[in-house]
Amino acid sequence: MAEYETHEFDVVVVGAGGAGLRAAIEASAHAPVVAIVSLESDGNVVLVRQYRLPAREALLEIPAGGVDEGESIEDAAQRELREETGYRAGRLERLCGFYVSPGYCTEFIQVFLATDLVEDSIEGDPDEVIALERMSLAEAVHLIEAGEIKDGKSIVGLLLAATNNVPERVAVNRRR
């Protein structure tokens, strides 16, 4: 399980008009995270709905979780996918990586596309209560536009998948 710590840094800002300016900055150190857009053979995405205490509601998200120490990001993506959806990806493709909020947190998320899904469940975290929801990528994009998908990593991953014609690319690769 990933640990989170808050650190205070005494920094000297250099450049952009801040040369020599000293400031105390509080930042949260966070383990790396993976997030997975999982696409079934019929073109549906598999999303998870789970209660998030800071948001005070159950959010619809792509599967995600922390990278354990010594674990590669690909292995972490497969583990999280298996824990949260019961699937393992036959093919795993990195879509992007980004800082969640670099002004106060070191959290960096690697987003993957998982295809060629095979049932291969493992036990998840005991504190996670997850419900699976399947829908077309177009419907997921509609839920983003309607404000029903509010999670940043999910918005990034789903929109990247949609704008890169992922379902069409996957269908073409299957026909080859």
Side-chain angles (χ1 to χ4, degrees):
M1 180 139 236
E3 292 185 26
Y4 312 98
E5 299 176 15
T6 299
H7 301 280
E8 188 171 305
F9 299 94
D10 184 26
V11 297
V12 176
V13 180
V14 179
L21 175 67
R22 295 189 82 70
I25 298 175
E26 193 171 288
S28 177
H30 196 289
V33 172
V34 292
I36 309 99
V37 177
S38 49
L39 191 65
E40 295 181 307
S41 60
D42 62 3
N44 283 337
V45 291
V46 182
L47 301 174
V48 297
R49 186 174 297 276
Q50 62 181 321
Y51 185 79
R52 296 296 193 177
L53 185 60
R56 303 240 189 269
E57 65 180 294
L59 297 178
L60 193 57
E61 308 174 25
I62 60 177
V67 178
D68 292 337
E69 190 162 330
E71 184 178 41
S72 73
I73 58 172
E74 294 82 4
D75 288 344
Q78 289 283 17
R79 177 182 48 75
E80 286 295 337
L81 187 63
R82 293 174 66 204
E83 287 177 0
E84 295 190 6
T85 69
Y87 290 113
R88 175 180 41 81
R91 180 182 164 115
L92 197 60
E93 174 186 344
R94 184 182 173 278
L95 293 176
C96 75
F98 64 94
Y99 285 102
V100 173
S101 188
Y104 79 92
C105 184
T106 65
E107 183 176 6
F108 191 83
I109 297 181
Q110 300 280 354
V111 182
F112 289 90
L113 172 68
T115 55
D116 299 333
L117 303 179
V118 178
E119 287 187 29
D120 190 13
S121 181
I122 59 174
E123 190 171 324
D125 295 332
D127 63 336
E128 289 183 326
V129 178
I130 294 173
L132 297 183
E133 295 189 26
R134 292 169 167 82
M135 65 189 65
S136 70
L137 190 53
E139 176 64 15
V141 170
H142 172 73
L143 292 179
I144 292 168
E145 293 167 344
E148 294 181 40
I149 293 180
K150 305 171 187 176
D151 171 63
K153 69 186 175 306
S154 300
I155 292 169
V156 168
L158 292 166
L159 290 178
L160 269 175
T163 58
N164 286 303
N165 298 316
V166 166
E168 291 82 5
R169 280 192 1 236
V170 170
V172 167
N173 287 338
R174 284 204 175 92
R175 287 194 293 259
R176 288 183 182 164

